[in-house]
Amino acid sequence: MSAHESVEASIRSTAHFMGQNTLQPLPKKDFTYAAAQHLLNRAGFGGTPTQIRALTEMGLDKAVDYLVDFGELPERSSGLDFRGDIMRQPTREEQETARRARIAGDEETIARLQREQQMRERTDRDQLASMQRWWLARMIETGRPLEEKLTLLWHGHFATGYRTIENSWHMLAQNGLLRRECAGNFADMVRGIIRDPAMLKYLDNDENRRNSPNENLARELLELFTLGEGNGYSEQDIKQAARALTGMTFRDNAYFFDAAQHDTAAKAILGRSGNFAGDELVSIILERPQCARFIATKLFRFFVNDAPQPSRDGLDLTERLAKELRDNRYELRPVLRALFRSRGFYAPENHLAVVKSPTQLMVQTIRSFATPTRDMSALVQAGDLMGQQLFQPPSVKGWDGGRAWINTATLFVRQNVVVYLVTGRRPQAFDWSPSDMAYDSTHLVEHLRDASMSLDPEEATRSLLSFALAGDADAARLAQLNGFIGGLGDTVTDDRIKALLCLIGAMPEFQLC
Amino acid sequence: MHDLAFTRRLFLQRGCALASLTATVPYFIEQSAMGMLGNPLLSSNPGVPDERILVVVQLGGGNDGLNTVIPYGDAEYYRARPQLGIRGPGAPVQNGQQSALELNQARGVGLHPNLVGFRELYDAGSLAIVQGVGYPNPNRSHFTSMDIWHTGRLDAKGSGWIGRYFDNACNGTPIPEGAIAIGRAAPLAMEGEVQRPISFENPSMFRWMGEELHASMKDPYDAINRAGVIGAASSAAGSNSGKDTQKAFLMRTALDAQLASDRIRAAVAKQPLVQYPGHGLARQLQTIGAMIRDNMPTRVYYASMGGFDTHGGQAGAHGNLMRHLAESVKAFQNDLIEQRNDARVLTMVFSEFGRRVKQNGSGGTDHGTAAPTFLIGPAAKPGVFGAHPSLIDLDQGDLRYGIDFRSVYTSILEDWMKAPASKILRGDFVNPGLIRKT
């Protein structure tokens, strides 16, 4: 963040005469197949050659609108049948039974109640596991990929972990909130999140009371959700913000404002004074330029480039996104539209510049190669091994993303999960069920057949490599693959395509999109 | 390949100073690394296994400290645990439950009867028992308390204490294979800002499985993944060679992964020098023993064992856990002795919290607070440290801690790893002197 701030001033003074407006639209003629693939990878989870061609033919503006205005597409993902009462609060009657048993020292009843509680917790963990499979399947199946991608972004931003709150229904409700607001107004999302039972529980705001404030939510609201650590607020601001949030709690599955616990006295927050409650607090925070810049940085790292040091153009694009956010009063859709149309988004330096998250890796592999989904439990487990378990971010900071995804251990899992998806063969010693789902990979090269329906192996190899690496068919890589496919014979078969996909999936740069 | 292996060996032998070049390889190493060979400031001794090793054994779920180190001399113990209490040394077997092993008669403490291996280590002068280890305002959530132990911070936030040891020791650049955890996911304790641990559940999983599909796939795979650092790499890395691009970073990591995979699988392929029992922890320690024997450059290993969350039917379950723990650790220690590596390995055994003093209605115990921590190996100063926590002066039914867990870390960091503990732990903690002076 400090890098952004320090360079900001120089950008404002130089960008203009350098003529480097990174947010200017890409010339329409430059929206090539490769550009369309880049767009679909970043604003979604990639697609098959056929889907990319269709997007290319739409042209830049229509393609971007198609992805961004997803509200107009039919939602085809399956419904769900989850229960909201597993972790319900005990009824008055049950509380009374427990109280009496404790007083009477009735160990048998206490033990029974304890067993019942453990049973409920187990049922709830099972439900969370099925929710993990459900969300992953939804990302794989959805016709509105940007919606799921944004929901995943905000899940990591407003990170809440199941293991702390132990209530799967609350996690699901939060997921619904983030999906509903994902491309709407950021202010609405923040106002929703400070009323969200999962978040209120996760950051202890259910214990934030007038006479004993708990600063946890207030601190993270400023530090992680809106302004960024140390970005123009003080410890005093946190204390005052915590007072504004007192009384915001939940009852059962719903938000509840406990007026008796709300501190109604005047507060001084970020230079403003008044009798602020939660919503005013959010307005005050969002007026700060640091907030727009913090969110713009988040969008830039998620959609454009997550290298450790942003380039000069990267900083310029971030700054312009921040201005768009402010000008649009935090409406996200116009900002996303501008981003996905911009020259900066398609600049060569931003090509293959984002490390695929584990979820992106799996969903993009399935959607672009059109492999079967195999065993969803295995994919959830693989996500865990690669460092991303849905509904279980490691901490309130969410996932660090970028290079933090990659280490020597996760790299093997990443390579192996591609082999699993393409071939159905499970890694030896892995606890994954082998899958015999049929997969015909030849569809990836059908369009290359000439009039006599024959297919040149080298042409097929080049095409597959270029497709899988979003246009990056490096000559040395091509030679490595051709040496291999050449040795296998001169016809292109399903098996050979699969072997190539496994090798391409094992290339270090396959981890980038 | 020959050049590549040579360069890699340099990394391993020269340690941090040269490894730091990985931040700018491939390009920089070709230019300058060779020139640094004669640098007298690089003093590490190639090929000589003099580096000290820490092995951490985590008992997940909250080990019942009161039934591990047993305060048989305190009648209150039996009042609080009429069924679960384990009788003092020499008492007859009761309901199939054997009596405690004597540890220190003057203090009235013994060991769980199944901790025979620990008793032997104690007799051999290789066991330090630290009683009543905990921290202020104990958190009774497994996850939060475990995170507190892992981060070494009461707010449970930030990087891991072992990770920070590496970050600090290596001046901002990771040591390849410096930290290895056996398990599905790397423990937070080992995650530094810079240092990242290697973790694998089973060495056979720590490799690419595509070559099982067809033998012909191995060569192209190797060519693809081993091009990460020098000469041969520059064509594959293209014009990005020498720059710290995302692609260059991935190429480097891929090379590291291949070499670590080769190294680890070669190490564990050898038959161990002693017979290990079949328990999960024993298998992990056997793998660690093999890597130590093979002179891996690893400074910290991590093993873990779960199942300690004994809310119900504790007696039998906890007895088995104790037996598995002691047998596994003893076999590991025997292995190290056979290898003549025992003097350079220190093992720490800990759990995120102990359990309540009073047994519950299900023949178990609920989440508690302070509990014993063990240090094992000839380097550990033998004996019982700290007073056993009072069973009467309780905090909401739980033991009050006597020694902060960060004091135990301080002792290990300062006196074993020779690292600045207060910097790593971001605070000064009393060093209880748990390591023998050498």
Side-chain angles (χ1 to χ4, degrees), chain A residues 107 111 114 118 163 216 220 306-308 353 355 381 384-385 403 406-409 411-412 415-416 419 423 425-430 472 474 476-477 480 484 488 499 502-503 506-509 511-512, chain B residues 143 147 157 184 196-199 202 204-210 212-214 216-217 220-221 223-225 235-236 238 244-247 249-254 256-258 261 311 360-362 366:
Chain A
E107 297 286 349
Q114 212 165 27
Q118 282 166 10
R163 68 178 201 181
N216 209 0
E220 306 306 4
D306 61 16
V355 180
Q381 191 194 340
D384 187 15
L385 288 168
R403 294 185 181 185
I406 303 294
N407 61 47
T408 51
L411 204 49
F412 282 116
Q415 295 177 342
N416 287 333
V419 175
T423 68
R425 286 275 300 268
R426 73 193 160 96
Q428 213 180 43
F430 270 64
D472 189 44
D474 181 278
R477 289 304 198 208
Q480 283 161 346
F484 168 69
L488 279 178
C502 290
L503 282 172
M507 290 179 177
E509 57 269 41
Q511 306 308 331
L512 299 170
Chain B
F143 305 108
D147 286 353
K157 286 182 182 171
R184 284 182 50 191
R196 301 280 171 187
I198 290 173
S199 61
N202 177 332
S204 66
M205 288 162 63
F206 191 59
R207 66 191 186 88
W208 190 54
M209 57 154 297
E212 287 169 23
L213 297 171
H214 198 279
S216 66
M217 292 177 73
Y221 174 80
I224 283 166
N225 274 282
S235 59
D244 186 30
T245 60
Q246 300 286 63
K247 194 161 158 182
F249 162 77
L250 276 153
M251 302 282 278
R252 287 199 303 271
T253 312
D256 276 347
Q258 300 308 314
S261 169
H311 285 283
N360 65 22
S362 316
D366 298 325

Side-chain angles (χ1 to χ4, degrees), chain B residues 421-435:
Chain B
S422 52
K423 193 171 163 204
I424 292 165
L425 299 174
R426 297 183 186 121
D428 290 309
F429 300 92
V430 179
N431 182 339
L434 306 172
I435 307 297

Side-chain angles (χ1 to χ4, degrees), chain A residues 1 48 54 62 81 131 152 202 285 300 357 374 418 440 499:
Chain A
M1 224 48 51
T48 61
K62 281 211 175 101
D81 190 21
M131 279 166 44
L152 184 60
Y202 188 61
I285 296 170
F300 177 81
S357 70
R374 311 287 173 192
V418 174
D440 179 2

Side-chain angles (χ1 to χ4, degrees), chain A residues 44 70 100 126 203 206 256 439:
Chain A
F70 51 76
R100 279 208 215 98
D126 290 345
L203 294 182
D206 54 338
F256 175 73
Y439 172 46

Side-chain angles (χ1 to χ4, degrees), chain A residues 124-143:
Chain A
D124 197 58
R125 284 195 295 273
D126 290 345
Q127 174 158 296
L128 194 272
S130 52
M131 279 166 44
Q132 292 174 317
R133 296 192 293 272
W134 162 78
W135 192 10
L136 197 57
R138 183 169 175 140
M139 289 189 239
I140 291 165
E141 291 162 9
T142 184

